[in-house]
Amino acid sequence: MSTDRQRLPGLPDWGRCAVMGILNVTPDSFSDGGLWLDPGRAVARGLKMVAEGADLVDVGGESTRPGAVRITCEEELRRVLPVVRGLVEGGALVSVDTMRADVARAAVDAGACLINDVSGGRADPAMARAAARTGVPFVVMHWRGFSDGMDELAVYEDVAGEVVKEIERQIDVVVSAGVDPAQVIVDPGLGFAKTREHDWAVLAEVDAFAHLGRPVLIAASRKRFLGTLLADPDSGSLRPAKERDAATAAVSALAAAQGAWAVRVHRVPDTVDAVRVEAAMRCARNASRSSHEQYGDDG
Ligand code: PMM
């Protein structure tokens, strides 16, 4: 099990797995779509997540749910920028969830401190160079294609191994475009061109991603593989998205124990508690190991 949690230049060292609160300013995201379209409400929601213990707030203006159709860049900018500005003014650390270089650039100009691109720079050929120029951390998520066609791309023989290799190749691409390797975060992309079984297989090997030597971000929150796991045994209906938070917090603790740098979640308080539990366990284990080393095993 990997226990090293890398730091990113320019971001605080939280001393535990970080918590990224999700703020989707979209009408159609699978779990919170339509709730935060009004910029004032969105900013208030983001600042509430910070008060609940979120270390970062991830603002996204375009849904990437399976089958989602793309919006224009103008529309994305219109949704995202006032919210980024408001949150930064309120003292939050803001990440921007976008596949577009123009949106990433404008959000960083407005104070965002991290670019979270679910395509890892593949959707917009201008993204990697734009991210490089901003100098902020950049998420290389595993991505095989846009949401309206990604389900057909969920074909693997060894999902974790192939995802690690594809991320590695994409890191090379973005680094060649000028992104500082020290600013790259990796993410296996749960639910993106992956079946439920693929999601579990990837989650079971978070430490394989940690071995890439880059901070790992895990975004399992409320995703369909949890809804399937918790489906009603009689009717077979999936557990509704908003009733998947306890399972999400469990994944957060387990991902943190495998060395994840951060987890990205809709409901912050449960996951903040979960990563604190994991940090306390880690601390106690380290103390116990060092006392065994100091006094010998029977000391
Ligand atoms: N998933 C969604 C959106 N953004 N960003 C990262 N880095 N990783 C993910 O798995 C991811 C993401 C899917 O939709 P949601 O915002 O409703 O979770």
Side-chain angles (χ1 to χ4, degrees):
M1 175 170 34
S2 168
T3 50
D4 294 331
R5 195 162 277 134
Q6 292 88 357
R7 285 205 53 197
L8 285 152
L11 290 184
D13 178 6
W14 291 287
R16 52 160 172 72
C17 178
V19 177
M20 184 184 266
I22 301 173
L23 187 58
N24 285 321
V25 288
T26 62
D28 54 344
S29 289
F30 80 95
S31 141
D32 55 351
L35 288 178
W36 318 115
L37 273 177
D38 171 67
R41 274 174 58 95
V43 171
R45 168 69 188 153
L47 295 178
K48 180 159 185 271
M49 288 196 282
V50 173
E52 290 169 346
D55 302 302
L56 294 150
V57 179
D58 189 39
V59 180
E62 179 174 43
S63 172
T64 50
R65 66 182 297 161
V69 175
R70 299 212 69 190
I71 56 166
T72 64
C73 182
E74 292 65 37
E75 176 61 12
E76 194 179 342
L77 285 166
R78 194 189 63 74
R79 291 180 189 174
V80 161
L81 284 187
V83 180
V84 172
R85 281 195 204 103
L87 286 171
V88 170
E89 272 164 27
L93 292 180
V94 177
S95 134
V96 62
D97 184 345
T98 184
M99 291 186 275
R100 286 193 169 98
D102 286 345
V103 176
R105 217 180 281 118
V108 173
D109 285 347
C113 63
L114 190 153
I115 299 167
N116 173 24
D117 179 353
V118 297
S119 82
R122 295 186 64 196
D124 182 344
M127 177 61 103
R129 281 174 64 79
R133 275 195 219 104
T134 66
V136 303
F138 179 67
V139 175
V140 172
M141 197 192 85
H142 177 255
W143 187 86
R144 284 187 164 182
F146 290 103
S147 299
D148 55 359
M150 68 183 173
D151 289 347
E152 292 94 83
L153 303 172
V155 182
Y156 305 86
E157 284 186 9
D158 158 23
V159 62
E162 286 167 54
V163 170
V164 167
K165 281 210 188 79
E166 288 171 36
I167 291 179
E168 229 169 355
R169 273 205 295 275
Q170 191 58 21
I171 294 177
D172 288 345
V173 170
V174 303
V175 168
S176 309
V179 174
D180 178 352
Q183 294 287 34
V184 172
I185 298 163
V186 298
D187 180 335
L190 296 169
F192 287 82
K194 291 174 197 74
T195 63
R196 304 333 142 235
E197 292 75 23
H198 294 144
D199 285 338
W200 285 114
V202 158
L203 256 189
E205 299 206 36
V206 169
D207 47 358
F209 294 90
H211 286 137
L212 284 168
R214 302 304 320 138
V216 180
L217 171 63
I218 295 292
S221 187
R222 297 183 178 173
K223 283 191 175 165
R224 197 177 163 90
F225 73 106
L226 296 177
T228 310
L229 174 77
L230 305 171
D232 184 295
D234 298 323
S235 66
S237 328
L238 296 196
R239 174 80 65 86
K242 288 198 177 101
E243 295 168 29
R244 301 174 192 168
D245 288 324
T248 298
V251 174
S252 295
L254 293 167
Q258 290 191 80
W261 164 76
V263 286
R264 177 182 175 278
V265 295
H266 295 89
R267 201 183 126 75
V268 166
D270 311 334
T271 273
V272 168
D273 288 355
V275 299
R276 289 180 65 188
V277 166
E278 188 279 331
M281 291 275 273
R282 184 183 294 252
C283 186
R285 198 170 46 238
N286 290 344
S288 149
R289 277 195 194 133
S290 62
S291 95
H292 286 312
E293 275 163 23
Q294 199 173 351
Y295 300 111
D297 271 332
D298 10 308

